[in-house]
Amino acid sequence: MPVLPVPMIIALLLLGFLALRIARDETHISLLALIAVCAMQAAIIALVQYYGVAPLRPVQPILATVIPPIAWFAFERASGGRGSPRAIALHAIGPVLALLCLVVNPMLLDVLIPLSFTGYGIAMLLRLRTGEDSLPHSSLEGGGTSLMAWRIVALALIASAGCDVLIAYGLAYGQSGVLGWIPSVVSSLSLLSLGALSLTNAVEARREALGDDATPNPEELERDQAIVARLDEYMKLQKPFLDP
């Protein structure tokens, strides 16, 4: 009986998950883009490696270099950052270099792609050194789940780079059998990281809409000002900060 390869199964699962998150309208666009790109990459891996669709082969490395920057954008949203146009342009360097390597010398992709995945993964881990304080936009009720999920994403990026190195090694030394299972491992890592991240609701559009730009009504503003005034008066008169 006909069977689907693991990357194609993962692509279908990711597409279903993407449709569900879009229908619920609760996920930030950066995370939706990350899920969509990983689904496309898994599908392309299956079509190229298992179904012999050769015209899609050049798309695979280009799309691979897009995954780490999009993962970083989603991470930045959870960590409270807002990408400027200049920063976005800098993150586009990887895909542009991949396109140039594809034209000039495709062998350079075996260096560029692992470096890109490893660099972004290490950058995430370094940002996460401060613990939960590094994710101010993540939900409080999630506890340390958001932190764990993003660490899994970072480690998955690094592990994916290791898989790319193994693929290059297999091709260089004629061990083509390694290509049969490594793409499945790479796709599984993508599903694992995205699944862990989705459980935390770390990046939500609703939080963005109701967060910094929310305008309080006049009654709430007047009440808050009164509380601040009373607190300020208490600090000036009673000086509680002098009592050890």
Side-chain angles (χ1 to χ4, degrees), residues 48-59:
V48 172
Q49 300 293 339
Y50 296 93
Y51 296 102
V53 184
L56 289 177
R57 189 176 298 275
V59 180

Side-chain angles (χ1 to χ4, degrees), residues 170-193:
L171 291 175
Y173 290 92
Q175 300 178 5
S176 57
V178 76
L179 298 179
W181 57 270
I182 283 186
S184 299
V185 173
V186 176
S187 299
S188 299
L189 287 172
S190 300
L191 180 61
L192 173 63
S193 59

